[in-house]
Amino acid sequence: MKTRPIGIFDSGVGGLTVVKSLLARLPGESFIYYGDTAHVPYGSKSREELFKYANDIVSFLLSREVKIIVVACGTHSSVTLPEIEKTCPVPLLGVVKPGARAAAQATRNGKIGVIATQATVNSCSYSLSINAIEPEHEIFSAACARFVPLVEAGILDGKETRQAVEEYIAPLLQRKIDTLVMGCTHYPFLAPVISDISGEGVTLVDPATQTIEELIGILKQNDILNDNEACGTREFYVSGNEESFYRVGRLLLGDVIQKVDRIELD
Ligand code: DGL
């Protein structure tokens, strides 16, 4: 059981921010990553569509005998995870609750900005999770529809990216936030620009860091942490174009991505 892979999924390359943290903390773990690139962006999809995608991907990962699934997607962590975890035979861990815990701890003035997809903002998942920890904290959210296509195209800086960041973040800065949660897993790849524009007084929260700390806790609790010294195996699958995921994925994560295979689940 300990040597079984961890399942990880997202709509595309966004979940690689979670893989980055995983590799830094648990290099011995094997994992299977599924990027549902045929259906990116998730942020504008209906609940029905999101449930269909999540069910298909979870079934695929279970067929590969994963020991746990990390929902490396803010949208699915907000919309489908609370339902799917009720029947899933292995533990499911999302990014929203860990991200909320990190943000609630990081703020000094109690004003927190959350940038995420439209579906995540509509679900109020971050506000509810942060206020469950600290009811007095004020949360200001913004949906940033242009970020995911930019990251999927590997456009992490430049005029277009800067303009988009400025536009989305300005109203949050006006609210005097001191903490900003990058509530979609694609966004930490834009962190240098986001941090440049939001300034030194704003602490950026990448939920991936706390998610991996909580993953370690769950693996230990269930006695399924892989204690092998050797490096784990890493498999990458997509539902769409494998070449573009390979190219942008390697730009974001480096040569950890050796090969990408296409598997359609429909
Ligand atoms: N990276 C995902 C998230 O965290 C999905 C973004 C999208 O495809 O719209 O929400």
Side-chain angles (χ1 to χ4, degrees), residues 10-11 40-43 73-75 117 148 184-186:
D10 181 43
S11 62
V40 66
Y42 276 164
C73 170
T75 305
T117 66
V148 168
C184 163
T185 51
H186 281 74

Side-chain angles (χ1 to χ4, degrees), residues 65-77:
E65 305 207 302
V66 296
K67 60 183 176 184
I68 186 166
I69 295 175
V70 180
V71 182
C73 170
T75 305
H76 274 298
S77 301

Side-chain angles (χ1 to χ4, degrees), residues 105-117:
Q105 231 173 33
T107 185
R108 297 162 309 276
N109 71 359
K111 295 183 194 299
I112 300 172
V114 176
I115 47 173
T117 66

Side-chain angles (χ1 to χ4, degrees), residues 7-265:
I8 307 174
F9 74 93
D10 181 43
S11 62
V13 294
L16 298 180
T17 53
V18 177
V19 171
K20 218 171 179 175
S21 293
L22 174 74
L23 290 168
R25 296 285 282 121
L26 298 172
E29 292 287 347
S30 297
F31 64 82
I32 298 176
Y33 185 94
Y34 192 85
D36 192 9
T37 53
H39 301 123
V40 66
Y42 276 164
S44 53
K45 299 291 188 293
S46 68
R47 275 179 72 80
E48 291 67 34
E49 286 170 307
L50 289 171
F51 270 99
K52 179 177 182 338
Y53 306 150
N55 282 321
D56 286 348
I57 298 167
V58 167
S59 302
F60 165 67
L61 293 172
L62 290 174
S63 76
R64 300 294 312 272
E65 305 207 302
V66 296
K67 60 183 176 184
I68 186 166
I69 295 175
V70 180
V71 182
C73 170
T75 305
H76 274 298
S77 301
S78 302
V79 180
T80 60
L81 182 144
E83 211 40 54
I84 289 182
E85 71 181 352
K86 290 182 190 160
T87 51
C88 189
V90 300
L92 277 188
L93 173 64
V95 289
V96 169
K97 286 191 176 153
R101 278 189 269 273
Q105 231 173 33
T107 185
R108 297 162 309 276
N109 71 359
K111 295 183 194 299
I112 300 172
V114 176
I115 47 173
T117 66
Q118 191 64 59
T120 298
V121 170
N122 290 351
S123 77
C124 298
S125 60
Y126 270 102
S127 321
L128 292 170
S129 303
I130 294 170
N131 285 147
I133 302 165
E134 187 43 79
E136 298 296 311
H137 284 350
E138 285 182 274
I139 294 101
F140 306 99
S141 306
C144 310
R146 272 141 64 203
F147 286 179
V148 168
L150 286 168
V151 175
E152 284 294 320
I155 306 169
L156 308 183
D157 204 342
K159 197 167 164 229
E160 201 187 345
T161 307
R162 284 187 172 260
Q163 261 175 5
V165 172
E166 265 163 16
E167 200 178 297
Y168 290 129
I169 285 176
L172 304 177
L173 296 177
Q174 272 169 12
R175 302 292 197 146
K176 304 265 181 280
I177 57 158
D178 74 352
T179 302
L180 180 60
V181 184
M182 297 178 285
C184 163
T185 51
H186 281 74
Y187 300 177
F189 287 124
L190 303 175
V193 178
I194 297 173
S195 133
D196 204 25
I197 289 165
S198 53
E200 269 179 16
V202 176
T203 304
L204 292 191
V205 172
D206 175 357
T209 313
Q210 182 62 22
T211 301
I212 296 305
E213 293 314 313
E214 297 189 15
L215 171 69
I216 295 170
I218 298 173
L219 294 174
K220 280 187 180 160
Q221 232 172 39
N222 290 278
D223 198 22
I224 51 173
L225 186 82
N226 187 349
D227 27 39
N228 276 352
E229 299 275 300
C231 189
T233 58
R234 289 107 192 226
E235 293 174 47
F236 295 88
Y237 298 97
V238 290
S239 51
N241 187 296
E242 58 271 55
E243 274 142 42
S244 106
F245 186 94
Y246 179 83
R247 186 179 54 79
V248 178
R250 281 175 70 102
L251 174 82
L252 302 172
L253 199 65
D255 59 11
V256 171
I257 303 180
Q258 289 288 322
K259 186 162 98 64
V260 179
D261 288 309
R262 180 176 185 163
I263 298 189
E264 285 176 68
L265 305 175

